[in-house]
Amino acid sequence: MVDVQHWLVALPPGVVYLIVAGVIGVESMGVPLPGEIVLVSSALLAATGVVEPHWVASAAAFGAIVGDSVGYAVGRRGGRPLLARLGRRFPKHLGPAQLARAEQSFARHGVWAVFFGRFVALLRILAGPLAGALHVPYRRFLVANAAGGLVWAFGTTYLLYSLGRAAEHWLKDISWAGLVLAVLGGLVSTWWLRRRARRLESATTTGEAEPVAAGTDR
């Protein structure tokens, strides 16, 4: 992420916004790209004054909503054969196991999987194409897609922007000991969150999914 941030800082603000929208948009179409890393890096740049947070958030929301809609249209036209081709092309990200977990989420949560999927790496890539392939009604999909994209984009951007501004002010007078403790605290928190995420993922994988047709509100 540091390399991405250093690369972005050398670009004009307008180009940064276009990159944010483009990367997140293509990721939302079903292509594994580091959309969240680009958003996080751009939000932290906004905290330093290089770019404006509202434009970063707007670009991210635009890319997410449009990309998911394009992914929906492609998935609806291509159906399951398209998902199978994507799985062969990107087996580590969109293989049969990942697709099965995503389908379980849709079966359990219906269109809400689109909203909450914006905050989960796997569903963020598959939500649009999978919703289209499963023939989720587009109006329901669009509402959940737009709501999830806006909350994710603006929430992530302004949370990191606020933290970055606070950290910049706080680090002016911090001691090296305090800095080490802060880094260790961040590492421990990250380890704990990843462990929780793996447990939740394992529980979802082993749980029994309801019939897909019941969750798509056709």
Side-chain angles (χ1 to χ4, degrees):
M1 186 177 71
V2 175
D3 292 337
V4 173
Q5 190 171 351
H6 286 169
W7 178 63
L8 291 173
V9 76
L11 300 174
V15 176
V16 174
Y17 306 141
L18 289 176
I19 290 174
V20 170
V23 172
I24 292 175
V26 174
E27 180 192 43
S28 301
M29 294 178 194
V31 179
L33 289 180
E36 191 168 45
I37 292 177
V38 170
L39 176 59
V40 170
S41 299
S42 300
L44 293 176
L45 283 182
T48 65
V50 176
V51 292
E52 296 295 331
H54 61 277
W55 284 115
V56 171
S58 298
F62 177 81
I65 295 170
V66 173
D68 266 344
S69 295
V70 173
Y72 175 93
V74 173
R76 191 175 182 90
R77 184 178 182 84
R80 290 301 299 264
L82 171 66
L83 298 177
R85 287 197 298 272
L86 287 173
R88 290 192 296 269
R89 187 174 182 85
F90 306 105
K92 293 183 178 180
H93 299 86
L94 307 177
Q98 291 83 355
L99 180 58
R101 288 199 295 271
E103 286 184 315
Q104 286 182 359
S105 295
F106 269 86
R108 289 184 175 185
H109 307 297
V111 74
W112 283 104
V114 177
F115 177 87
F116 291 109
R118 178 48 55 182
F119 302 88
V120 181
L122 172 62
L123 285 178
R124 188 163 53 246
I125 299 172
L126 280 175
L130 188 58
L134 296 177
H135 292 273
V136 174
Y138 181 69
R139 289 185 179 179
R140 294 175 180 269
F141 169 81
L142 181 59
V143 171
N145 173 35
L150 288 169
V151 172
W152 175 73
F154 279 85
T156 301
T157 299
Y158 277 96
L159 174 62
L160 292 171
Y161 171 78
S162 300
L163 290 175
R165 296 289 290 179
E168 184 180 6
H169 176 75
W170 181 56
L171 286 173
K172 289 180 180 179
D173 300 316
I174 193 173
S175 66
W176 282 107
L179 179 59
V180 170
L181 289 175
V183 171
L184 288 176
L187 291 174
V188 171
S189 299
T190 301
W191 170 81
W192 184 83
L193 289 171
R194 287 182 177 177
R195 184 179 179 186
R196 291 284 299 173
R198 283 196 296 267
R199 287 183 176 179
L200 289 174
E201 183 178 2
S202 176
T204 301
T205 303
T206 56
E208 294 182 1
E210 299 174 6
V212 173
T216 55
D217 298 327
R218 295 182 187 178

